[in-house]
Amino acid sequence: MAYAATAAGFLPSMTAAPGVVALQRALLWLVGVSVAIVFIEPSPYELMTIAASIIFFATGLRLRLVFMQLLLLLFLVNIGYSISAASLMDKPEVTSWIATSWYMAFTVIFLAMVVSEDTTARLDMLRRGLIVGALIASLAGIAGYFSLIPGAHKLLTLYDRASGTFKDPNVLGAFLILPALFVLQSVVSDGFGKSMRSAIALGIMALAVLLAFSRAAWGGLALTSAFMLALMVLTSPSRAQRSRIIVTAVVAAIAVVMLIAVLLSFDSIGEMFKQRASFDQSYDEGRFGRFGRHILGAEMALDLPFGIGPLQFHRYFPEDTHNSYLNAFMSGGWISGICYPALVFITVIMGFRHIFVRVPWQRAYLAIFAAFLGTVGESFIIDTDHWRHFWMMLGAMWGMFAAAQRHRAGAAQVIMAPAQASWRLPACSSAPPSSPSAPRSPPASSCSPGS
């Protein structure tokens, strides 16, 4: 797809070679694909972001002052983790956890810097890569669940739930939400041919989310879809477009409900669905259940300014925290416990402020913000602090914030330019003839050619 080299697109450099720009965009596509494959360590995402960062920095990417607040919060969060883990560094799993946290912080800054320039084109390539990666992960999960690939059932499932190219079915379901929102946008707003292709992709992703049997992913996909579609209706420029979004969304919802009804008629799927859909889960109930641990952990956090260190919560309780904000307190003490929620909710507040900002990438922004907001909510009941796609969305959000500021500044300059030009025009006056009887001559202008 070709992109116009306009100011609205914020090209990284108007003198950049076309080959360099194409390479940068292709790397973002690969980053989007690779984030879907994390069942091996180090994951392809780590390798691709390292390669991409080297090439981007070598071709002119620079850190801007607008990201200092983001950089400071990320630094403080990880300083807290590192201080709390100082006495545990002899444990390889703790060392790996700390290294991963610092690297996730680096990816946030890197993606924010990247997305803040050439924003429209780079977001589109990242979107395309995420959709391809999501289809790969979805098809792998579906194939594993139905044993379509000999010998791959154990690799692609966990506890008879589709996990695909992820280690955990819950993470697969959560990851698929953003790509599903992207293709849903295409279904309700693009031409017939593209809309139908996107509908097929949406069906594949929705099936994978269902077979992951993640209650958070089920609810997250439904709520974020409704939220994003509502924002699309509110920000659509025409009544016809709003009507199409509403009608198409209703038709798509009916089709998804019918698909789920058919799938639930299979005994294995129906039984697992009933089991997972129940709110009466043993690991959620009781004093040491999920929510009981949240209360007890919060009480501990108030008495432990330096926390207990990463991956130590299970030494005190039967399971992990299953709450990212509580985990920040327990893993990094008060420093991380304060700065991590601050980072997340400052991003949320800024996200709401940018919903109605008219920018060329507004459609992508609405999908990313909706998915990010869903993950923020999910973080209250599950540990999301090392989810690659969560940090990717966080970085992309800050990059779009910076790009929106530049876009508005550029638009203001365009509006002011004609007024400034007219203000600088010389005021010319003509001298009247000395008397009515005097011969008429061309009026003398007070303007000189050099004025």
Side-chain angles (χ1 to χ4, degrees):
M1 180 177 179
Y3 301 92
T6 62
F10 295 117
L11 289 173
S13 174
M14 290 303 174
T15 59
V20 172
V21 174
L23 175 61
Q24 291 173 337
R25 294 172 180 175
L27 286 170
L28 275 178
W29 184 88
L30 290 172
V31 167
V33 174
S34 64
V35 75
I37 306 171
V38 293
F39 68 138
I40 55 176
E41 297 281 348
S43 72
Y45 177 70
E46 271 81 58
L47 301 178
M48 278 309 309
T49 49
I50 290 174
S53 63
I54 292 173
I55 294 175
F56 268 95
F57 282 114
T59 53
L61 187 66
R62 295 292 181 267
L63 181 63
R64 296 166 50 202
L65 289 175
V66 70
F67 298 124
M68 287 299 105
Q69 182 184 16
L70 173 63
L71 183 63
L72 177 61
L73 287 171
L74 290 169
F75 178 77
L76 290 175
V77 168
N78 284 280
I79 281 293
Y81 290 152
S82 300
I83 292 173
S84 297
S87 61
L88 303 168
M89 285 300 187
D90 58 326
K91 299 181 179 182
E93 66 274 14
V94 174
T95 304
S96 176
W97 194 94
I98 292 293
T100 301
S101 294
W102 278 103
Y103 186 72
M104 291 296 103
F106 166 76
T107 62
V108 172
I109 289 293
F110 168 67
L111 286 168
M113 294 165 61
V114 167
V115 172
S116 68
E117 300 177 353
D118 194 15
T119 306
T120 303
R122 289 178 179 177
L123 277 177
D124 186 65
M125 294 305 290
L126 186 63
R127 177 190 66 85
R128 290 165 180 256
L130 282 167
I131 292 173
V132 171
L135 288 173
I136 293 172
S138 299
L139 291 171
I142 294 169
Y145 183 85
F146 290 110
S147 300
L148 301 179
I149 303 176
H153 179 77
K154 290 184 178 181
L155 176 64
L156 302 175
T157 62
L158 182 67
Y159 308 129
D160 291 324
R161 298 164 57 191
S163 59
T165 54
F166 289 80
K167 296 179 181 179
D168 187 341
N170 293 316
V171 186
L172 170 66
F175 163 75
L176 291 176
I177 290 176
L178 177 57
L181 294 182
F182 280 141
V183 294
L184 177 59
Q185 286 182 327
S186 177
V187 169
V188 301
S189 57
D190 286 336
F192 179 78
K194 189 174 181 180
S195 177
M196 291 304 297
R197 292 193 298 270
S198 297
I200 294 172
L202 179 61
I204 293 172
M205 294 179 198
L207 177 58
V209 171
L210 174 65
L211 298 180
F213 295 104
S214 169
R215 293 174 297 170
W218 294 342
L221 180 58
L223 292 175
T224 56
S225 297
F227 179 66
M228 182 196 70
L229 290 171
L231 294 181
M232 290 181 67
V233 170
L234 292 174
T235 57
S236 293
S238 67
R239 179 180 297 179
Q241 192 172 7
R242 290 193 291 270
S243 299
R244 179 185 171 180
I245 292 172
I246 294 171
V247 172
T248 310
V250 171
V251 172
I254 294 173
V256 169
V257 170
M258 293 175 62
L259 173 63
I260 292 175
V262 172
L263 291 170
L264 293 181
S265 65
F266 294 92
D267 292 338
S268 59
I269 298 177
E271 288 300 320
M272 179 63 82
F273 181 85
K274 291 177 183 178
Q275 176 186 339
R276 293 294 301 164
S278 172
F279 289 101
D280 186 19
Q281 302 290 342
S282 60
Y283 51 78
D284 287 338
E285 300 173 341
R287 185 168 185 264
F288 294 105
R290 184 196 304 260
F291 304 110
R293 294 195 306 274
H294 292 174
I295 298 173
L296 296 173
E299 293 175 353
M300 284 181 63
L302 295 176
D303 297 327
L304 298 169
F306 296 103
I308 59 177
L311 306 178
Q312 303 305 300
F313 194 80
H314 68 278
R315 295 176 55 192
Y316 300 85
F317 299 96
E319 293 187 36
D320 293 328
T321 53
H322 292 304
N323 183 314
S324 295
Y325 311 108
L326 175 60
N327 187 56
F329 273 101
M330 304 310 295
S331 298
W334 292 357
I335 297 176
S336 300
I338 293 172
C339 293
Y340 179 79
L343 170 63
V344 171
F345 289 104
I346 286 173
T347 307
V348 169
I349 293 169
M350 293 175 65
F352 275 107
R353 292 175 59 186
H354 283 77
I355 285 176
F356 297 102
V357 176
R358 292 289 182 186
V359 288
W361 54 88
Q362 187 178 36
R363 184 168 120 170
Y365 176 83
L366 296 179
I368 295 172
F369 178 57
F372 177 79
L373 194 61
T375 307
V376 169
E378 191 174 357
S379 297
F380 283 100
I381 59 172
I382 199 167
D383 297 322
T384 63
D385 39 17
H386 277 183
W387 286 5
R388 274 81 170 169
H389 65 276
F390 171 71
W391 295 106
M392 172 185 283
M393 290 188 291
L394 181 66
M397 292 284 293
W398 280 79
M400 288 187 287
F401 296 157
Q405 292 179 8
R406 295 177 64 188
H407 180 80
R408 285 184 292 185
Q413 289 178 358
V414 170
I415 294 172
M416 290 294 295
Q420 291 175 347
S422 62
W423 178 77
R424 289 171 182 167
L425 285 175
C428 301
S429 60
S430 300
S434 57
S435 66
S437 60
R440 293 186 177 272
S441 60
S445 175
S446 64
C447 302
S448 63
S451 63

